[in-house]
Amino acid sequence: MESRALDAIVVSSYQNVSYFAGSTITTQVSLPDRLGFLIARRDGAATLLFCNIEISQLKTQTDIGDVREYVEFAQNPTEELARILRELGLTGGSIGIDARRLPAASMTILQRDLPASEFVPIDDELELSQAVKDPDETEKLEEAAKSSLAAIEDTIKTLPKGATERDVSSAIYLRLMQSGGKPLFMVFASGERTLQAHPESTDTPMPRGILWRIDYGARFDGGINSDLARTGVVGAASPEQEATLRALRATQDAGFRAIEPGRPAKDVFFAVRDEFKRQGLPFTMPHVGHGMGIGLHEYPMLEPGNDTPLEVGMVLNVEPMALIMSRREGYHTEDLAAITETGRRLLTPPQEHLLIIPG
Amino acid sequence: MESRALDAIVVSSYQNVSYFAGSTITTQVSLPDRLGFLIARRDGAATLLFCNIEISQLKTQTDIGDVREYVEFAQNPTEELARILRELGLTGGSIGIDARRLPAASMTILQRDLPASEFVPIDDELELSQAVKDPDETEKLEEAAKSSLAAIEDTIKTLPKGATERDVSSAIYLRLMQSGGKPLFMVFASGERTLQAHPESTDTPMPRGILWRIDYGARFDGGINSDLARTGVVGAASPEQEATLRALRATQDAGFRAIEPGRPAKDVFFAVRDEFKRQGLPFTMPHVGHGMGIGLHEYPMLEPGNDTPLEVGMVLNVEPMALIMSRREGYHTEDLAAITETGRRLLTPPQEHLLIIPG
């Protein structure tokens, strides 16, 4: 706040409120009109404003003592926010906001009710302030990632022959839920649909030799997410399929090698892209990975325009994906690394071979 | 558009884009910076703008032929939207927007790049335009609701004694995934935590006699959601517990009886509230139900200020919840009804008794 001369910060997104308040009120995502806000002032004091329905749960999650509530439909949450800002003496100064998350309708109300205030978008600063994890967060991210990998590896060994896409994805998710993960997203597809970005499982049978891929995530205690991808086949891999996985793995290794404190985030992107070219793989990715935490795509995004210096404590996924149009197959693999003084520590072991579903 | 003298409508939310385009691009929710837009013009022509990663999947879902793409990070999606609006001749007129969903940062860009255009919030109109379902949508909603109910009823019968909260919720979700549901949200808790709004399952054992409740939903083909709640006990219910369920059921019945074409939505709220009083139950709800579809809380919301006339074809949940503080128990039940010429048709049979988990 000091460097931007802000009197306060108001955040509205699930990720930002959860990060700073320690809460996980998931209706911030599933019920977008049920707004929740965190006000942080320059003196360190914080205030939460949530729908009265969520308050008893919120109080079990947050250390913030000043929790205000609005009654849904009887009160407009943003008008209540403006009223509280006035009550806190926050009129006429500068207030930082997550303008890429705050609804335009809320901004209209804030500008109307606080005409002398300046609302300053600080989305990038908010994202960057969450990029370096403390050891406890890194440990949780590692546990979440390892659980998500184990759920795949342990489950597919036990599948009977003839499993459909839906059988496989359901069994993997069951295993993850049993280890404490709450379902977040599940990409699972075989054959030609592996070329799509986020295909979902259907009751399609998967014949021997067909390629499949999974990209999935879950939310664990404290709101920490996993996000992991693997590619496999049914029965046994052809030499061509295995060769493509080896080439993809080389691009991921190149990305991990570029992760060092002080280097710009874009170096990881270019390292992966250049290795795609060396391996003869078609490169179509706008980014090759991202930070992980309460959000699914946290900063720094590993994209070609990102000069953000990598720092010790950041936790990053590297996730190359190759679309092999001649065979109508999409290959994807994704693992997590924490940046250390000397480079990076992998939190999940990258895949050595295509995974095998019995068939 | 005619009645509001709009030249075009631009929508940005997952629900609105999915409804009008027939798409289900779930990263609109999980990756909020990966914006997707639908432009609809007065002559009926429509244009989609999505991130290039999502395009191959989007084209398998939508009938809209004019699909534009932006490259993430290289291009700002809202600047691209403004460029396309200019290309389509949409400068200087009135454009309807979903201002409660469009990010404030995007609004700033639109106002900067299209300074002669007026952007008119039409959130309520957009919601209301989705409230009456066609027979195909109603059938899908009924199937989704019935699957979600069957997943609870079939699963709990088969549970071994000693199941934890997590065992139960995981087993129910597995059954739902096997019937084609994609996990959306899962409230499951026992004992005192049933008083919270959206508690999640933990590895807590559930002793005989303890109250539990579930409120959960999944997304089915075409993006149609379920949302269903039930309350139960472990082993056997006490007379007091069963009496509370009967009283709660009476409030739900009163709500359903108030669902008739032509009556205002608020009548359902007051019917439930008044029956709470007659039954001697504490009433704390800001709403007693809502429309269902691609969104979880669609219009009409059954809240005390809502004069929207109920119409044939609307599909509504009625979901009374009673917090019994003396016993530290929260009771919740939720079922779906379609409005017919003569009243309403229940799409799931409301619960007659507390459900029983073996114990």
Side-chain angles (χ1 to χ4, degrees), chain B residues 31 56 63 74 87 100 126 129 158 179-180 185 190 203 205 208 217 228 232 241 254 261 264 308 352:
Chain B
L31 302 178
S56 68
D63 291 332
E87 176 201 314
R100 294 208 308 262
L126 289 165
S129 74
T158 67
S179 69
F185 74 100
S190 61
D203 51 10
R208 192 175 161 82
L228 182 114
Q241 287 171 327
T308 304
E352 299 290 338

Side-chain angles (χ1 to χ4, degrees), chain B residues 39-50:
Chain B
I39 306 165
R41 281 170 285 165
R42 210 160 169 173
D43 62 5
T47 301
L48 287 165
L49 171 63
F50 268 81

Side-chain angles (χ1 to χ4, degrees), chain A residues 260-330:
Chain A
E260 289 174 323
R263 291 181 73 171
K266 66 183 179 187
D267 275 16
V268 187
F269 178 88
F270 291 120
V272 171
R273 188 199 62 179
D274 293 350
E275 190 64 29
F276 262 74
K277 286 183 188 161
R278 267 191 291 274
Q279 296 289 337
L281 292 175
F283 185 76
T284 58
M285 308 185 71
H287 71 86
V288 301
H290 50 82
M292 275 300 296
I294 294 169
L296 270 177
H297 276 192
E298 290 199 353
Y299 278 21
M301 292 299 306
L302 304 178
E303 49 94 356
N306 194 348
D307 292 316
T308 304
L310 300 180
E311 288 181 55
V312 174
M314 287 178 173
V315 177
L316 304 173
N317 268 326
V318 177
E319 53 162 334
M321 183 169 178
L323 307 180
I324 310 299
M325 301 310 288
S326 59
R327 299 200 305 267
R328 310 293 294 166
E329 289 178 337

Side-chain angles (χ1 to χ4, degrees), chain A residues 238-266:
Chain A
S238 71
E240 294 76 16
Q241 287 172 326
E242 197 61 44
T244 301
L245 190 274
R246 269 200 308 277
L248 188 76
R249 211 3 244 294
T251 72
Q252 191 190 32
D253 290 346
F256 281 129
R257 281 196 302 272
I259 294 180
E260 289 174 323
R263 291 181 73 171
K266 66 183 179 187

Side-chain angles (χ1 to χ4, degrees), chain A residues 8-236:
Chain A
I9 288 171
V10 173
V11 295
S12 62
S13 77
Y14 168 78
Q15 179 184 324
N16 287 332
V17 173
S18 299
Y19 183 82
F20 293 112
S23 56
T24 48
I25 300 295
T26 55
T27 49
Q28 287 195 270
V29 177
S30 59
L31 301 177
D33 279 324
R34 191 174 286 177
L35 296 169
F37 298 105
L38 168 73
I39 306 165
R41 282 169 285 164
R42 208 160 170 174
D43 63 4
T47 301
L48 287 165
L49 172 63
F50 268 81
C51 171
N52 62 332
I53 291 181
E54 310 291 353
I55 296 293
S56 67
Q57 189 158 2
L58 179 65
K59 285 186 173 173
T60 68
Q61 298 174 338
T62 186
D63 291 332
I64 295 173
D66 186 15
V67 179
R68 314 293 183 94
E69 61 186 68
Y70 64 86
V71 177
E72 213 175 9
F73 310 112
Q75 292 171 296
N76 179 301
T78 314
E79 289 177 358
E80 279 306 294
L81 170 66
R83 198 190 55 68
I84 293 168
L85 290 172
R86 285 196 303 271
E87 176 200 315
L88 297 175
L90 292 164
T91 50
S94 287
I95 298 175
I97 56 167
D98 50 355
R100 295 207 308 262
R101 299 292 177 274
L102 183 76
S106 293
M107 186 64 147
T108 301
I109 292 170
L110 290 177
Q111 287 171 333
R112 180 198 70 196
D113 289 2
L114 294 164
S117 296
E118 186 194 13
F119 296 96
V120 183
I122 55 164
D123 299 84
D124 285 341
E125 290 88 337
L126 289 165
E127 287 280 354
L128 282 172
S129 74
Q130 300 169 39
V132 173
K133 312 304 180 194
D134 65 29
D136 178 59
E137 289 171 302
T138 304
E139 192 181 321
K140 284 180 175 164
L141 281 163
E142 181 168 359
E143 282 172 20
K146 283 182 163 28
S147 289
S148 301
L149 178 56
I152 300 174
E153 291 181 339
D154 295 353
T155 302
I156 61 173
K157 284 180 206 157
T158 67
L159 289 170
K161 282 191 185 187
T164 65
E165 288 179 4
R166 185 172 288 161
D167 292 336
V168 181
S169 67
S170 302
I172 292 171
Y173 239 154
L174 172 66
R175 174 73 168 69
L176 196 64
M177 288 189 286
Q178 288 170 335
S179 68
K182 311 296 181 190
L184 208 56
F185 74 99
M186 168 64 85
V187 166
F188 189 96
S190 62
E192 188 160 355
R193 283 167 53 253
T194 57
L195 291 170
Q196 295 181 5
H198 299 99
E200 297 185 300
S201 61
T202 66
D203 52 9
T204 314
M206 296 193 291
R208 192 176 160 82
I210 200 168
L211 194 88
W212 55 268
R213 72 179 183 86
I214 183 171
D215 177 13
Y216 85 134
R219 177 172 45 83
F220 289 80
D221 280 350
I224 291 292
N225 291 332
S226 67
D227 179 9
L228 182 115
R230 286 292 182 268
T231 301
V233 289
V234 175

